[in-house]
Amino acid sequence: MGEQSEHEDRPREAASGETGQRRTQKTGLRALLIDISPLKYSPAFARLWVGTSVSQIGAQLTIVAVGLNIYALTQSTLAVSFVALWALAPMILAGFVGGALADRFDRRKVALVTAIVAWLSISTLTTISFIGVTETWPYYVLAAVNAASATIMGAARGAIQPRLLPTQLLPAAAALGGITMGLSLTVGPALAGVMVANVGFSWTYLLDAILFSGAFLGILGLPPMLPEPSSANSANHTNAVPPQQLPPVSRARAFWRGVGESAASVGESLRFLKTAPNVRATFVFDLVAMIFGMPRVVFPAAAALVLGGGSVTVGLLTASFAIGGLLSSLLSGPLGSVRRQGRAVTVSIFVYGLCTLMFGIVLLVTMTLVPNTAGVEREPIMWALALAAVALAGSGAADNVSAVFRTTILQAAAPDEVRGRMQGLFYVVVAGGPRLGDLFAGALATVIALWAPALIGGLVIVSLMIVFARVYGGFQRYDALHPTP
């Protein structure tokens, strides 16, 4: 095992007790505000969080800029959709293999190497934009490389975090991660739009390359983080010769043998899931929410033909979801005291389904009361737009609360020797689920109407959560003080 973090020599129970004691002293508004104890407890976590927050703004900036760049080159919405399509398979592969690498090698080094690859892809993107490359395939390839690298880096970071903090602080850390995501999804796209319009694509990519330095600062501030050996392999791990003491040729052979064993261990993670009902439930519940509660593909048509306002309304609807998540993180103080976290996930996704249903009802009522018989873009209908924004903000808040508890369960319940692979699988679900959701929403909108994906999807989510509350009894009884996979 690698060097321990600053606080790993302190008993977890004592640290948790101190944290709980501090929390009970908070009253009124302070009790509602986000708990920043993780930032105080571990300077290494604080550096990692700040670095990730800065670099994620740049990442979202580039995601938006690449889509705008492809559209400027092709004038084709289909060509823009290929950006996500090109990245999907590499992201899924990176999730499986990258998680396995994080369970085999020093997680700090895995994160650092993939950060370098991601930064090189952004730098190359900047270069080809400056020199005026007009073929689209280099942009697709570089965006895919960047997405795959970010997936591996995220899996390694997710496996590192529980080694820096006691279990009691993991919900607060997940809420801080929600702030990171909320800021990146609001600031990044807005900044991309302003920069592309005023200084062009090249300087926009260059800003991401600069902001990405935050990721390096966060990772370099970590201690070495070798995965903890399982009890079955602890003896072999203890008797093994340290890699740095091997001759160069033997060291290279050992490295590639480790890579091969990491890839082979992907199957072990799936076998682990069969014996880990609580960890498995976090993925199942999340897939339900993402497949049936992602009506984002109808935003452009709904903004033009139903709610009115065109692209401005699309931006407002997208931002409403992110703002809801951000506000729920800022007011996440009470979440750290919730023990029945599985039940909290169920309730959160139930509320998510209700808010999604409300968005569908807003579209249906608007289309009924204020029909657009001409089928052309209309002026904004303010009352409908306000209700839609509230519904999506509620969806974002509920989704973030669910994510806080799902992340906490995954990090606390999964043993360290499989934690990287579980984080990798988490990224596979995050990459694949929304794409399936887009397919579901697009099909229903085409076959029925624009209101159908949100209304029917919301009903499905609400109904399934009621069923799951009975079927997944063990998950409902999951106790944060005694985490079990």
Side-chain angles (χ1 to χ4, degrees):
M1 184 173 145
E3 293 178 21
Q4 295 179 322
S5 68
E6 304 97 305
H7 292 282
E8 283 190 332
D9 57 342
R10 181 189 297 186
R12 290 284 173 103
E13 294 80 4
S16 299
E18 292 168 12
T19 304
Q21 194 174 34
R22 284 195 300 269
R23 185 178 287 115
T24 58
Q25 294 173 353
K26 295 180 179 180
T27 58
L29 181 59
R30 288 189 62 199
L32 291 175
L33 296 178
I34 187 169
D35 183 4
I36 61 171
S37 297
L39 302 177
K40 299 176 181 178
Y41 180 87
S42 173
F45 172 79
R47 290 189 294 268
L48 184 64
W49 179 76
V50 171
T52 302
S53 299
V54 172
S55 62
Q56 281 298 307
I57 291 174
Q60 291 299 321
L61 182 147
T62 289
I63 288 172
V64 173
V66 167
L68 293 172
N69 201 348
I70 293 294
Y71 187 79
L73 292 172
T74 65
Q75 300 298 307
S76 168
T77 303
L78 180 63
V80 176
S81 69
F82 286 163
V83 176
L85 185 63
W86 271 64
L88 180 58
M91 285 178 69
I92 292 175
L93 180 62
F96 282 117
V97 177
L101 291 174
D103 282 339
R104 178 77 185 187
F105 299 103
D106 182 349
R107 289 163 179 167
R108 174 179 177 270
K109 290 182 179 178
V110 172
L112 183 60
V113 170
T114 50
I116 292 172
V117 174
W119 183 81
L120 288 174
S121 68
I122 297 168
S123 299
T124 306
L125 198 59
T126 304
T127 302
I128 66 172
S129 180
F130 268 117
I131 64 178
V133 173
T134 56
E135 292 85 357
T136 56
W137 69 263
Y139 295 91
Y140 289 136
V141 170
L142 290 169
V145 170
N146 183 261
S149 301
T151 298
I152 298 176
M153 184 167 52
R157 275 198 307 250
I160 287 170
Q161 188 169 293
R163 296 275 292 276
L164 300 175
L165 299 169
T167 303
Q168 182 98 1
L169 291 181
L170 290 180
L176 287 167
I179 288 183
T180 296
M181 185 58 63
L183 286 174
S184 66
L185 289 176
T186 50
V187 177
L191 188 59
V194 172
M195 290 200 64
V196 167
N198 289 278
V199 298
F201 296 108
S202 305
W203 292 100
T204 304
Y205 295 138
L206 180 60
L207 178 60
D208 181 19
I210 295 171
L211 292 175
F212 199 86
S213 61
F216 289 114
L217 294 176
I219 295 169
L220 291 173
L222 294 170
M225 200 69 66
L226 286 169
E228 295 175 353
S230 63
S231 56
N233 297 326
S234 58
N236 293 335
H237 180 86
T238 302
N239 297 326
V241 178
Q244 60 270 24
Q245 296 182 13
L246 294 172
V249 175
S250 299
R251 193 184 307 170
R253 289 175 180 170
F255 171 77
W256 288 112
R257 184 167 60 250
V259 171
E261 292 174 354
S262 298
S265 70
V266 170
E268 295 177 10
S269 64
L270 300 179
R271 288 191 291 273
F272 167 77
L273 277 180
K274 292 182 180 180
T275 63
N278 290 324
V279 172
R280 186 171 65 245
T282 63
F283 296 129
V284 173
F285 281 54
D286 193 26
L287 279 172
V288 168
M290 288 190 293
I291 292 174
F292 299 109
M294 282 282 180
R296 59 188 182 183
V297 296
V298 306
F299 284 1
L305 303 176
V306 182
L307 302 173
S311 59
V312 175
T313 295
V314 173
L316 176 62
L317 296 178
T318 305
S320 296
F321 187 92
I323 290 171
L326 180 60
L327 289 176
S328 69
S329 285
L330 292 173
L331 299 175
S332 62
L335 300 186
S337 61
V338 174
R339 287 184 58 177
R340 300 298 180 189
Q341 295 178 343
R343 186 179 301 161
V345 170
T346 307
V347 173
S348 299
I349 297 179
F350 179 86
V351 174
Y352 178 82
L354 286 178
C355 292
T356 303
L357 172 62
M358 177 182 168
F359 178 68
I361 292 174
V362 170
L363 295 184
L364 175 60
V365 170
T366 306
M367 293 174 71
T368 303
L369 297 181
V370 195
N372 187 353
T373 54
V376 296
E377 185 171 331
R378 59 177 15 168
E379 292 297 312
I381 301 174
M382 300 309 297
W383 62 266
L385 189 54
L387 290 174
V390 169
L392 290 173
S395 296
D399 179 64
N400 183 63
V401 172
S402 165
V404 166
F405 290 119
R406 286 184 289 103
T407 300
T408 301
I409 293 171
L410 185 59
Q411 292 180 334
D416 188 75
E417 65 265 19
V418 297
R419 194 171 281 147
R421 280 165 285 179
M422 291 301 100
Q423 290 295 322
L425 183 58
F426 168 80
Y427 275 90
V428 170
V429 171
V430 169
R435 271 70 179 184
L436 294 175
D438 290 344
L439 182 62
F440 170 81
L444 278 188
T446 301
V447 173
I448 303 177
L450 289 174
W451 53 262
L455 195 151
I456 295 175
L459 285 174
V460 170
I461 293 172
V462 168
S463 301
L464 285 177
M465 287 305 107
I466 294 174
V467 173
F468 284 3
R470 290 185 170 273
V471 174
Y472 287 85
F475 188 59
Q476 305 306 310
R477 294 187 296 273
Y478 176 89
D479 188 350
L481 296 184
H482 306 285
T484 55

